[in-house]
Amino acid sequence: MSDSALAARLTERMGLVEQALADAVASADRLADDVSHHLVAAGGKRLRPFLTLLAGELGDGSRRELVDAAIVVELTHLASLYHDDVMDSAPLRRGAPSVHSVWGNSVAILVGDLLFARASARVAGLGPQAVRIQAETFERLCLGQLHETTGPSAAEDPVAHYLQVLADKTASLLATSARLGAMFGGAPQQAVEIVAAYGEKVGVAFQLADDVLDLTSSGAESGKTPGTDLREGIATMPVLLLRQRAARAGAAAQDVALVADLDGDLESDAALADVVERLRAHDVLRETRDLAVRYAREAAAELAPLPSGPVKEALEAFAEALADRAA
């Protein structure tokens, strides 16, 4: 962030968010308290509350409601992670054991529900419009997870289906983070709509970059085992692009063989490492990178009508960082 004054303000307010987040998940019940704090203590990027505070700077970034809005979006995100890890059987989250692997599926689901309830209580204090936005976002999160679970119908294009899943599961909450920030900062309505559209495209770019990192990063970098999505049968963008290639007439033998291995038994670490390495070397990884870069640049382009200044520059820089992350 090139503007030191803006950086200092956001750093200070993120400190307030961090403390308020710890307070928001606290519970008199010992088990609920331990489980609720598990992922908060594990850290994370805090991307959504940061985006809320940054968008708030398009108006008056000192408003107290912005901290509450930041807590709402992070609580919603955390709750969704508790549920996602159960559905994906993920062993790690943020470099720590996932909640379900420590306390079991039922506890993870129930505490995820508890965090959603805390988010709902917090957003109620922001007024009916915020409640409606939160409810619509929650619906999209659920639909995204549902459609990821069921997969595309025979009549759907799997790539288009997947992009819609990303829009609902990831981008919807980023768009809401930016929208609530601009709203409660008192920015003009045009700016609210602009940053929401930006958040939608940034969210898709973010998840496509994650698809690349799932294959290319180490477990220490990503906080989860490389190829976890492959082992769980989750079709990320590189896999979908590979399947398209393998289904064509005259498909390359190595593409057909790689799809067969992806559909085989990946329980052993050696088998998983083999398919990860072959995907790393495949053109479909480059195509996924290119798609992530395209969405990141389209997100930055959404900001064009905003007045020049450090907030716009920071939003543009974040989109560019996502493109770099994928590359």
Side-chain angles (χ1 to χ4, degrees), residues 7 46 137 167 172 200 211 232-233 269:
R46 302 289 190 257
T137 306
S172 65
E200 284 278 345
D211 286 356
E232 298 305 323
D269 290 342

Side-chain angles (χ1 to χ4, degrees), residues 29-170:
D29 182 277
R30 178 64 180 273
L31 176 61
D33 190 70
D34 287 347
V35 181
S36 296
H37 275 96
H38 183 72
L39 285 187
V40 173
K45 304 176 188 69
R46 302 289 190 257
L47 174 60
R48 291 150 191 86
F50 180 80
L51 184 55
T52 298
L53 297 182
L54 178 57
E57 291 284 336
L58 291 168
D60 178 0
S62 67
R63 290 185 175 182
R64 175 64 200 181
E65 294 95 327
L66 286 168
V67 173
D68 286 334
I71 295 301
V72 166
V73 295
E74 187 65 6
L75 282 175
T76 301
H77 175 57
L78 286 169
S80 72
L81 297 184
Y82 280 61
H83 289 178
D84 284 357
D85 285 348
V86 170
M87 299 191 72
D88 298 343
S89 300
L92 295 174
R93 172 65 71 175
R94 296 177 172 175
S98 56
V99 171
H100 77 92
S101 67
V102 177
W103 287 280
N105 287 349
S106 295
V107 170
I109 291 168
L110 289 168
V111 174
D113 290 344
L114 174 64
L115 294 179
F116 277 127
R118 296 284 173 89
S120 298
R122 180 75 60 141
V123 78
L126 293 173
Q129 186 179 11
V131 171
R132 178 182 56 77
I133 292 168
Q134 169 72 356
E136 290 171 350
T137 306
F138 190 20
E139 179 180 1
R140 288 187 65 189
L141 291 173
C142 293
L143 286 172
Q145 186 65 61
L146 175 65
H147 293 152
E148 180 181 77
T149 302
T150 59
S153 68
E156 285 183 287
D157 172 18
V159 170
H161 174 273
Y162 183 66
L163 288 172
Q164 186 60 53
V165 166
L166 299 190
D168 289 334
K169 265 194 70 172
T170 301

